[in-house]
Amino acid sequence: MDEIKISAQDVNVFYGETHALQDVNVKIRDNTVTAFIGPSGCGKSTFLRCINRMNDTIEICRVKGDILIDAEDIYDRQVDPVQLRAKVGMVFQKPNPFPKSIYDNVAYGPRIHGLARNKPELDEIVEKSLRRAALWDEAKDRLGQPGTGLSGGQQQRLCIARAVATAPEVLLMDEPCSALDPIATAQIEELIDELRQNYCVVIVTHSMQQAARVSQHTAFFHLGHLVEYGETGQIFTNPQDKRTESYITGRIG
Amino acid sequence: MQDLHIASAFDRDLEDITALIMKMGGLVESAILNSANSLVDRDVELAAKVRAGDKAIDALEIQINEEAARLIALRAPVGGDLRTVLSVMKISHNLERCGDYCKNLAKRTTVLAEMPPIGGSSNAIRRMAREVERMLKDVLDAYIQRDTELAADVRARDTEIDQMYNALFREFLTHMMEDPRNITACMHLHFIAKNIERMGDHVTSIAEQVIYVVSGEIPDEDRRKLDRTSFVGKVGG
Ligand SMILES: Nc1ncnc2c1ncn2[C@@H]1O[C@H](COP(=O)(O)OP(=O)(O)OP(=O)(O)O)[C@@H](O)[C@H]1O
Ligand SMILES: [Mg+2]
């Protein structure tokens, strides 16, 4: 239960001259939802992107330090980032459906990784994924229509469906509910809790209540530093750092 | 003191609820002093006033709990804010209990006023009540100031109250053994002393809330209970 899935050691990230993350050390448990919280620009998305090497795609970005998944260094030269990203799925802060049909958006991953042997199996994965992302009822009659034609909140759920379709071991979610109504939010939170049984989930959220509701561990980032990391109940009842307290209680720190 | 909230209405809500606690505390302080004075002075009118005043204390407890529920529902407090709201609910309960004990004391005063006095016991009871009142005053100050040292001091002073109670207990036993006609009055006086001792425990519990609000931890029950009266009369004890 308490096994460490992701281990970050002395992680520093630079965007050109900007020192976006400084000496981040953290061990993230498997079968656990870990929430990253902190003010805008503190480096949450940056750190999330380190975990599946998305930062590689940013020209000016340099990552120093080690990130291990299952004790394997993911920045090792032998690691194929594409393979890594199949294992470490991600839902982005801004919904980014492919310019394809709703069906193909979800079927894309399972297809390239050969997760379905035939059309009925693929159909099943697509339906199951859309159901888990609480989008099935709205999408089932328009699976052939472009994903980009959905509303913002629907697009976000489509991206969640796409991310869970490949059954990744680690799921990174960057504000997955920011454009969702309370019902869809509750459904996604329920999904996150369900995913926890089998996966390691890391979620960035600006909603303190969401962090409190869905996560077992919470990490508070501030100005590029990981200030406090602990059991969620403890962080929200008795944070140890004054900066954490100010942030979660909505104070002028 | 803590920094201000970005949402100033949140600060106002917390201030309002704290002000209610202080108001309630003030009423309980007077109830303690007035009930003890009514006993010593055999002042039945003052006793009646204390009894009637308990309604206001009860009403404040209800109001505080409603405000706390509202605050939890609307503001979803966390961290120190959450502990403040939880402590407010607990403290209002402690104060309400103290109010009840004062009311009970005032009732017994009315009965005792008809009976001959028992030595200097009512003065001793008043000394005890005054000390509990001072502890309550200090603990409310400690709450406002978030002063854990003062709270710890109040907590320690409760042992004196326990000792005063033990001494009174023995005195009443002596009076009852000397003359069985004293039994009724002594029984009333004993309940009064016991209730004041219980008030001390409630004040101690408030002191623990002060420590909880500040540190997030309830102090251990390392304060040795000095009420040994449960063992009085034990053979060989
Ligand atoms: N592609 C980029 N190029 C240059 N600087 C960047 C880039 N991405 C992020 N940064 C900088 O790195 C810092 C951390 O940004 P990041 O996006 O990780 O913050 P965040 O905590 O996710 O904020 P938010 O809550 O607003 O999403 C910021 O100062 C930001 O300006
Ligand atoms: Mg971000």
Side-chain angles (χ1 to χ4, degrees), chain A residues 61-97:
Chain A
C61 185
R62 275 185 304 134
V63 178
K64 285 186 171 175
D66 296 320
I67 294 182
L68 313 179
I69 295 182
D70 294 330
E72 258 184 290
D73 181 2
I74 63 165
Y75 282 87
D76 192 286
R77 233 172 282 154
Q78 318 216 320
V79 173
D80 172 6
V82 176
Q83 284 298 318
L84 174 71
R85 284 171 209 147
K87 188 163 128 174
V88 185
M90 182 157 186
V91 177
F92 293 84
Q93 194 162 4
K94 274 180 274 175
N96 57 345

Side-chain angles (χ1 to χ4, degrees), chain B residues 67-79:
Chain B
E67 297 286 330
R70 217 182 115 78
L71 216 143
I72 290 169
L74 301 186
R75 305 222 177 261
V78 291

Side-chain angles (χ1 to χ4, degrees), chain A residues 122-141:
Chain A
L122 192 60
D123 288 351
E124 202 187 309
I125 293 176
V126 170
E127 178 175 341
K128 190 175 167 215
S129 305
L130 286 168
R131 278 191 190 282
R132 297 180 100 181
L135 187 60
W136 176 250
D137 289 340
E138 287 150 85
K140 63 175 187 286
D141 299 323

Side-chain angles (χ1 to χ4, degrees), chain A residues 85-247:
Chain A
R85 284 171 209 147
K87 188 163 128 174
V88 185
M90 182 157 186
V91 177
F92 293 84
Q93 194 162 4
K94 274 180 274 175
N96 57 345
F98 303 138
K100 291 170 186 277
S101 71
I102 294 174
Y103 185 97
D104 286 337
N105 260 280
V106 184
Y108 178 80
R111 266 195 196 117
I112 62 165
H113 296 293
L115 300 182
R117 275 165 301 178
N118 48 41
K119 178 80 165 89
E121 268 188 27
L122 192 60
D123 288 351
E124 202 187 309
I125 293 176
V126 170
E127 178 175 341
K128 190 175 167 215
S129 305
L130 286 168
R131 278 191 190 282
R132 297 180 100 181
L135 187 60
W136 176 250
D137 289 340
E138 287 150 85
K140 63 175 187 286
D141 299 323
R142 51 195 286 198
L143 291 174
Q145 292 173 23
T148 47
L150 295 169
S151 80
Q154 290 169 333
Q155 287 188 22
Q156 213 169 26
R157 281 175 282 157
L158 178 62
C159 294
I160 292 169
R162 189 177 67 191
V164 298
T166 54
E169 292 174 28
V170 177
L171 188 60
L172 310 174
M173 304 176 111
D174 201 344
E175 288 192 60
C177 301
S178 59
L180 302 189
D181 66 39
I183 302 296
T185 298
Q187 284 166 329
I188 298 305
E189 288 178 0
E190 177 61 19
L191 168 70
I192 291 171
D193 196 54
E194 183 193 316
L195 291 173
R196 172 164 77 91
Q197 313 302 318
N198 300 306
Y199 311 126
C200 165
V201 183
V202 183
I203 175 174
V204 170
T205 175
H206 281 288
S207 159
M208 297 302 99
Q209 285 311 301
Q210 179 165 63
R213 283 193 302 263
V214 301
S215 73
Q216 290 75 50
H217 281 76
T218 297
F220 171 64
F221 288 84
H222 186 67
L223 299 173
H225 294 276
L226 176 67
V227 168
E228 188 165 351
Y229 173 60
E231 195 264 318
T232 298
Q234 177 255 310
I235 296 279
F236 285 97
T237 54
N238 192 17
Q240 300 302 301
D241 194 287
K242 192 163 183 302
R243 289 166 291 180
T244 317
E245 171 87 22
S246 289
Y247 183 72

Side-chain angles (χ1 to χ4, degrees), chain A residues 15-16 18 20 38-47 49 58 60 93 174-175 204 206 221:
Chain A
Y15 296 102
T18 314
S40 188
C42 66
K44 305 177 297 292
S45 299
T46 297
F47 188 57
R49 284 198 300 266
I58 300 170
I60 57 167
Q93 194 162 4
D174 201 344
E175 288 192 60
V204 170
H206 281 288
F221 288 84

Side-chain angles (χ1 to χ4, degrees), chain B residues 168-212:
Chain B
L168 276 168
F169 180 87
R170 278 166 214 287
E171 193 182 324
F172 295 141
L173 273 187
T174 316
H175 285 300
M176 288 190 275
M177 285 189 285
E178 271 170 6
D179 186 348
R181 280 173 299 177
N182 288 333
I183 287 179
T184 310
C186 280
M187 286 302 284
H188 280 299
L189 288 166
H190 169 250
F191 274 120
I192 289 173
K194 183 67 199 167
N195 287 347
I196 296 172
E197 187 273 326
R198 292 292 299 140
M199 282 196 240
D201 292 344
H202 284 288
V203 172
T204 303
S205 159
I206 298 175
E208 285 163 5
Q209 288 301 307
V210 174
I211 295 165
Y212 170 69

